[in-house]
């Protein structure tokens, strides 16, 4: 029985889950409105001289910049999260994300300031990437390190669920703006409103997060052993195998999710010639489907095991990746909606257990750094690369070729998950007997814990 099992009441867990989920709703709302704008607005606003195809590629390249920044953000905020605490770091990530998003809403276009506009856009996207690189991990650890072992999968998924709700909110906001403004007004200034409105959401998130306490696992670690001087370096030295394989577990999740919220939205608008209203509505539905699947995956992981649920979802994803684009070629609105929802459902099932699975792999001493780095490396492989190369592969070799590429990414996730052990019976507190010498490398998390 862990310390958190003894001290955290259901009422407290509900408050922690609210803080975890609310913060990620706001941060991922900010993150996803950029993705939506990259698909529907930025090619014409910031890259008009490149033409439709090249402008779309350049726009998605700015989207991918954040994924490159995310591992750096995980190291930066992971360092402070492991040394200063989860709560302080979460407040900081929220402020950085909010400021960057608000400034995007104020950005002059390429027509107004030339090449400076896309450069500034990339800088602000980098800041978003740094912030989100520390956000999910801190929000997830806040829940996982407080949750009772028997329901850790359920409580730990609220940070991930907040991301799904953030997608729905982002698409709903753009849909509302799209219906309220003409095409010219939307492209001129209407698209800025979702970015500027994020300021109010950040204020709400700060109010909620400032009311929660630090996790018992972190406080216990600091009291007994002090903070790690260089937690990321210690993590690499102590658990390189777990970091390497954990970095591959979520490749499918990121690939499918950002395929659905980025490239498929652009594909529906440009290739299938669906209206922006239709594309945004389907995007909302797909985001909601992710949330449903995420809850289902998390609950099943408490009963069946994290590894088993993730393996099953990745195996199905391999088949779906090869089927997706041949199905889409029917150019039907219904088929497009079903394809988008199945894609997000599969990634949601795999995503649900991850909030518990990833933290359970690593010691408290460097858990923020190790978990965040593994999570965000997967974001680069799965979230940045596929949207960037999708248009080129589909145009040159056809949709089936891109499906093969996606299937290969799903296989990476499947193999990496199989290489890791089940974690649901592990304690979130470090075991003193497992590391009698603090100068010695730490053994894998939970190695001495009983099932």
């Amino acid at each position: 029985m862990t310390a958190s099992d003894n001290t955290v009441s259901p009422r407290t867990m509900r408050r922690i889950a609210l803080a975890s989920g609310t913060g990620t709703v706001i941060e991922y709302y900010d993150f996803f409105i950029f993705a939506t704008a990259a698909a529907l607005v930025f090619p014409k606003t910031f890259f008009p001289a490149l033409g439709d195809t090249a402008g779309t590629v350049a726009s998605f390249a700015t989207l991918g910049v954040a994924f490159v920044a995310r591992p750096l953000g995980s190291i930066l905020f992971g360092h402070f999260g492991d040394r200063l605490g989860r709560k302080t770091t979460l407040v900081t990530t929220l402020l950085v994300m909010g400021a960057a998003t608000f400034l995007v809403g104020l950005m002059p276009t390429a027509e107004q300031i030339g090449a400076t506009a896309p450069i500034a856009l990339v800088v602000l996207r980098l800041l978003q990437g740094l912030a989100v690189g520390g956000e999910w991990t801190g929000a997830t650890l806040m829940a996982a390190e407080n949750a009772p072992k028997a329901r850790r999968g359920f409580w730990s998924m609220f940070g991930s669920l907040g991301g799904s709700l953030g997608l729905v909110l982002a698409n709903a906001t753009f849909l509302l703006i799209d219906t309220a403004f003409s095409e010219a007004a939307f492209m001129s200034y209407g698209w800025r409103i979702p970015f500027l409105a994020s300021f109010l959401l950040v204020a709400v998130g700060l109010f909620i997060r400032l009311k929660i306490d630090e996790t018992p696992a972190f406080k216990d670690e600091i009291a007994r052993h002090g903070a790690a001087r260089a937690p990321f370096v210690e993590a690499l030295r102590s658990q390189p195998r777990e970091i390497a394989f954990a970095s591959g577990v979520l490749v499918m999740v990121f690939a499918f999710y950002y395929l659905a919220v980025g490239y498929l939205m652009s594909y529906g608008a440009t290739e299938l010639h669906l209206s922006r209203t239709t594309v945004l509505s389907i995007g909302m539905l797909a985001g909601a489907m992710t949330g449903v699947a995420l809850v289902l995956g998390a609950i099943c992981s408490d009963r069946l095991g994290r590894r088993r649920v993730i393996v099953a979802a990745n195996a199905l994803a391999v088949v779906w990746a090869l089927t997706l684009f041949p199905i889409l070629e029917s150019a039907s609105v219904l088929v497009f909606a079903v394809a988008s929802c199945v894609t997000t459902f599969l990634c949601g099932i795999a995503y649900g257990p991850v909030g518990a699975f990833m933290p359970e792999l690593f010691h408290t001493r460097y858990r923020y750094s190790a978990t965040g780095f593994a999570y965000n490396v997967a974001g680069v492989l799965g979230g940045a690369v596929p949207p960037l190369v999708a248009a080129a592969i589909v145009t040159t070799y056809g949709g089936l070729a891109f499906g093969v590429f996606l299937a290969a990414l799903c296989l990476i996730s499947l193999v990496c998950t199989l290489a890791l052990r089940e974690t649901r019976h592990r304690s979130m507190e470090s075991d003193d007997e497992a590391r009698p010498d603090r100068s010695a490398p730490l053994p894998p998390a939970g190695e001495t814990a009983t099932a």
Side-chain angles (χ1 to χ4, degrees):
M1 184 72 71
T2 69
S4 60
D5 290 336
N6 287 323
T7 59
V8 180
S9 67
R11 180 180 179 182
T12 301
M13 277 309 309
R14 287 192 292 271
R15 189 172 71 248
I16 292 168
L18 176 64
S20 175
T22 301
T24 51
V25 166
I26 295 163
E27 290 235 20
Y28 280 88
Y29 163 82
D30 288 355
F31 200 71
F32 288 137
I33 57 175
F34 195 104
T36 304
L40 303 178
V41 178
F42 291 166
K44 296 179 180 178
T45 305
F46 292 101
F47 305 98
L50 299 180
D52 290 340
T53 301
T56 299
V57 171
S59 181
F60 281 121
T62 64
L63 186 64
V65 161
F67 290 98
V68 177
R70 284 173 68 157
L72 299 178
S74 71
I75 296 171
L76 173 64
F77 290 111
H79 178 83
F80 292 110
D82 284 322
R83 287 186 58 81
L84 302 180
R86 294 25 171 155
K87 176 181 175 178
T88 301
T89 307
L90 279 174
V91 169
T92 305
T93 61
L94 189 60
L95 288 172
V96 173
M97 174 65 83
T101 304
F102 186 78
L103 290 174
V104 171
L106 298 177
M107 274 289 300
T109 65
E111 183 179 345
Q112 294 170 318
I113 60 173
T116 303
I119 293 173
L121 189 68
V122 169
V123 171
L124 293 175
R125 186 58 173 170
L126 279 170
L127 289 176
Q128 281 193 325
L130 290 173
V132 85
E135 165 61 27
W136 178 88
T137 310
T140 298
L141 293 190
M142 186 63 70
E145 290 182 344
N146 278 289
K149 184 187 297 183
R151 300 196 69 200
R152 190 182 296 139
F154 172 76
W155 288 115
S156 299
M157 64 86 188
F158 278 91
S160 302
L161 183 62
S164 174
L165 296 177
L167 171 62
V168 175
L169 181 61
N171 279 319
T173 304
F174 264 100
L175 181 61
L176 180 63
I177 298 301
D178 183 48
T179 55
F181 293 90
S182 65
E183 175 71 16
F186 178 84
M187 295 301 294
S188 175
Y189 61 88
W191 66 269
R192 299 178 183 275
I193 296 175
F195 290 90
L196 299 176
S198 68
F199 177 79
L200 298 175
L201 296 176
V202 169
V204 173
L206 284 175
F207 176 78
I208 294 173
R209 282 194 168 172
L210 288 171
K211 289 183 172 293
I212 59 175
D213 295 324
E214 188 53 75
T215 70
F218 176 79
K219 289 190 290 187
D220 181 64
E221 176 69 21
I222 296 299
R224 292 198 296 166
H225 305 293
R229 179 175 298 179
F232 179 65
V233 174
E234 191 169 321
L236 288 177
R237 186 185 75 235
S238 303
Q239 292 187 259
R241 181 183 181 277
E242 285 79 5
I243 291 175
F245 285 119
S247 297
V249 168
L250 278 169
V251 169
M252 180 278 284
V253 170
F254 279 106
F256 271 33
Y257 200 66
Y258 285 96
L259 176 74
V261 306
Y263 179 73
L264 285 185
M265 292 185 70
S266 177
Y267 184 88
T270 59
E271 300 296 327
L272 303 183
H273 305 292
L274 303 178
S275 69
R276 187 161 54 229
T277 300
T278 300
V279 170
L280 289 170
S281 298
I282 291 173
M284 287 177 57
L285 182 62
M289 190 61 66
T290 308
V292 172
L294 202 152
V295 174
L296 179 61
I299 292 173
C300 288
S301 79
D302 281 330
R303 299 182 179 182
L304 305 176
R306 327 288 188 215
R307 184 172 175 266
R308 187 175 297 176
V309 174
I310 298 171
V311 164
N314 278 304
L316 291 172
V318 172
V319 178
W320 180 246
L322 297 172
T323 309
L324 176 59
F325 278 88
I327 290 176
L328 283 176
E329 290 176 358
S330 67
S332 162
V333 175
L334 178 61
V335 169
F336 178 73
V338 170
S340 297
C341 289
V342 171
T343 301
T344 54
F345 184 84
L346 287 175
C347 77
I349 290 291
Y351 199 20
V354 167
F357 185 60
M358 299 281 274
E360 287 166 345
L361 289 170
F362 304 108
H363 279 284
T364 308
R365 186 171 177 80
Y366 48 72
R367 183 175 289 139
Y368 204 128
S369 297
T371 301
F373 183 74
Y375 179 85
N376 288 291
V377 167
V380 174
L381 298 175
V385 177
L388 188 60
V389 303
I393 293 178
V394 171
T395 301
T396 306
Y397 302 105
L400 183 59
F402 185 65
V404 172
F405 175 73
L406 283 178
L409 295 179
C410 297
L411 282 172
I412 291 175
S413 290
L414 180 61
V415 171
C416 287
T417 306
L418 289 171
L420 294 167
R421 294 182 179 181
E422 179 55 55
T423 62
R424 68 181 169 125
H425 297 300
R426 291 184 177 181
S427 168
M428 295 300 285
E429 278 73 33
S430 301
D431 191 332
D432 278 334
E433 295 180 2
R435 44 176 187 160
D437 180 3
R438 284 181 57 193
S439 64
L442 299 176
E447 187 174 79
T448 61
T450 57

